[in-house]
Structure formats: C-alpha cells, structure tokens
Amino acid sequence: MILTVTPNPSLDRTYELPGLIRGAVLRAAADRVDPGGKGVNVSRAVAAAGHRTVAVVPLGGSEGASLARLLGEHGIEAAGVTIADSTRVNITLVEPDGTLTKINAAGPEIAPAEAERLLDAVRTRTAGTDWIACCGSLPRGLPPQWYADLVAESHRAGVRIALDTSGAALVAALREQPDVIKPNTQELAEAVGRPLATVGDALKAAQELCELGARSVLASLGAVGQLLVERSGAHFAAARVHTVRSDVGAGDASLAGFLSAGGAGRAALSAAVAHGAAAVQLPGSAMPAPADLDPASVVATEDIPVDLALTEQTT
C-alpha cells in the first residue's frame, strides 16, 4: 500500500488547442479535468495498476469537494483534511506539436491547526503502509522544514519515504535521509547550485545529494531517460517514445512505477521509465494503466552515457 501526501493538490484542467495566439479568442478541440498535484498523480497511477493507495490532501471550497469526488471515481481513498481556503485550479494548454503552456495557481494558505491535522492524517494511516510518497510544492503557511519533520516521523514509524519536491524543502529534508528523492534535471541543478549539461553532470549531482543524506536518487532527465543512483551503484535507462502528447504528470507516473516495483534496483528503474514513457503519450495528466505500458521499449544499462547532452524537457 502506498500512502501519498500532497500538501498543495489541484484540479487540473487541460485544453487542447489548434494553436496558441495571444489576444485571440480560442476554441478548444478537447478539454478534460483531472485530480491533480504530484502526490495525487502518484496515487492515480498506483490505483490504475490495481494497488491500494490512500491520498492525504487538504480540501477547501467547491474545488476541494470536486477533487474528493474525482479521487473516488479513480478508486482512490481520500484522507481529506478540511481547510478554510479553496483548493487551487491549474490550467494546461496543449498545442498540436506537443508544446505545453502551464498556469499553476499559488494555492491556499494552510493555517497551523490545518497543518497539524495533515500530519495527524498521515500518522493514523501509517500502519500497513509500504511507502509514503510526499510530493509537490509546499503551500503558503507550511515552512520548508515541514517535509523534513514528516520524513523523520515516518522513519520512526518504520516506513520508507519517497520525496519529490525542490528548493529549500528538499535541502532541509536531506538531513533526515529520505529513502528516495525524485528530482528532474532543473531541480537537480538547483539543489547543487550549478547548471547540468550532460548525463555525467547529473550523475555527479545525484551522488552529491546522496552524500548530503538521500539514500537514493531517481532523477528524471526528460527525453534522455532516467538515472538511479543508490549507495550500491548507479543505473541508467531510457525508452523509445513514438509521440509525445503531454508530459504533465509523467514524472509522477515514473515514481509510482518505481515504488510499485519495490523502490530499488534496475527492475524498479525500468518500471519507472516504462510508466513515464506511457504517460507522455496520454492526454492531459492522464495516468497510464497496465495496458498502456510497453516494457519492451525500455533499454536499461549500467553503462551510463555520461557524455550524452541533456535536453530542456523536465518531468
């Protein structure tokens, strides 16, 4: 069972447009609304694979009620914590060539009492949990130390924890030794304070984060592939993708595949890459089901292509 914690969830509305023209009135060719937020996406991918998952989320206003309803429709148990402010709504505009324009709202402000209720919701559901996945940005009102405290509590309860965040929240949590962190290229570069031009640069950066406390690093390198750095060694994998439709949530699908496959080693990395590759070929922030996966498209190797240039894509 995988418990996800998403302090700043969203309703994700996606519009597919024939083209994006500033100042024009545009008609969408298609649109959809999905429950969103990085941890919510992880739960959606886990549920699609037939595994049990519980999503701890703050819920506010009519938007929060819609999010809870959509989670239920996806077979996800929502451990909702009522908050005074409204849950945010994010917008994604998709053009035919795969170009995405994303508008992410800041989200609600979480009061101290609401933050404590979020922690209580996690504590009461720890028993029987294989992994806790803490994902996404921290909303206003939660200090950078919030994730670090949650990592420490989870370890005291004997539960492994995966962390997908960035900036000060990531740096603070490294001291508590999360079992796996999942940065993309941009977040990895930000964490070490320098640009990354090649896979070799990303490898060195991931090794530095392990030295700072992370027990393993699953780094999404966009179209190039994914890198897994563990204390026992490093692995690399990539997949053949025919058409990129939307990369929204692809990194979250990767993390779900990785944790569902055990959260360590080459087999889990291959599962992560297969899930990410499947996700980018789906519309909006749709999460892949087992029928969408193509394990044969994944090439995993310990011969890491250190000179391979990184792209601008981040998932």
Side-chain angles (χ1 to χ4, degrees):
M1 203 281 280
I2 296 175
L3 177 72
T4 64
V5 183
T6 311
N8 201 8
S10 62
L11 288 177
D12 284 353
R13 182 173 288 277
T14 301
Y15 296 97
E16 296 188 12
L17 303 174
L20 183 58
I21 304 170
R22 291 183 63 196
V25 176
L26 306 174
R27 295 188 182 278
D31 68 274
R32 59 183 292 143
V33 178
D34 295 301
K38 297 181 75 63
V40 167
N41 290 338
V42 171
S43 277
R44 289 169 57 205
V46 170
H51 303 299
R52 183 172 174 238
T53 181
V54 177
V56 175
V57 286
L59 300 173
S62 59
E63 296 84 357
S66 295
L67 177 58
R69 175 180 56 78
L70 288 170
L71 287 172
E73 291 176 0
H74 282 78
I76 299 166
E77 179 186 340
V81 173
T82 301
I83 59 173
D85 284 355
S86 294
T87 300
R88 63 180 175 158
V89 178
N90 293 339
I91 304 294
T92 300
L93 307 177
V94 184
E95 298 177 70
D97 66 355
T99 300
L100 301 180
T101 302
K102 298 173 67 177
I103 305 170
N104 287 348
E109 182 166 359
I110 305 296
E114 295 167 344
E116 187 59 30
R117 289 202 298 273
L118 276 174
L119 290 176
D120 283 340
V122 177
R123 293 180 187 118
T124 58
R125 290 165 176 82
T126 298
T129 296
D130 296 293
W131 280 94
I132 297 175
C134 299
C135 305
S137 60
L138 292 174
R140 292 171 294 163
L142 295 188
Q145 183 67 24
W146 196 82
Y147 273 143
D149 294 341
L150 189 50
V151 172
E153 282 202 28
S154 300
H155 281 164
R156 284 195 293 271
V159 181
R160 292 173 295 175
I161 193 157
L163 180 64
D164 185 359
T165 191
S166 59
L170 172 60
V171 173
L174 287 175
R175 293 190 291 270
E176 300 298 339
Q177 299 187 336
D179 296 275
V180 60
I181 61 172
K182 202 216 72 61
N184 60 34
T185 306
Q186 179 181 334
E187 293 162 346
L188 193 57
E190 182 183 80
V192 297
R194 62 179 183 273
L196 307 176
T198 66
V199 172
D201 292 339
L203 173 60
K204 188 174 188 304
Q207 290 170 332
E208 289 177 20
L209 295 189
C210 285
E211 292 170 0
L212 290 173
R215 293 176 180 172
S216 65
V217 178
L218 176 66
S220 294
L221 307 180
V224 170
Q226 295 191 41
L227 183 66
L228 174 62
V229 177
E230 302 173 304
R231 293 180 178 178
S232 59
H235 313 282
F236 179 83
R240 297 182 297 274
V241 174
H242 299 294
T243 302
V244 175
R245 191 168 180 185
S246 170
D247 67 1
V248 177
D252 309 323
S254 292
L255 181 57
F258 183 76
L259 298 181
S260 296
R266 292 178 64 182
L269 174 61
S270 294
V273 172
H275 278 73
V280 301
Q281 298 177 82
L282 298 174
S285 60
M287 292 290 106
D292 299 311
L293 304 178
D294 182 12
S297 70
V298 178
V299 178
T301 177
E302 293 184 21
D303 185 16
I304 299 172
V306 294
D307 295 327
L308 184 61
L310 299 175
T311 69
E312 292 300 318
Q313 285 181 278
T314 57
T315 56

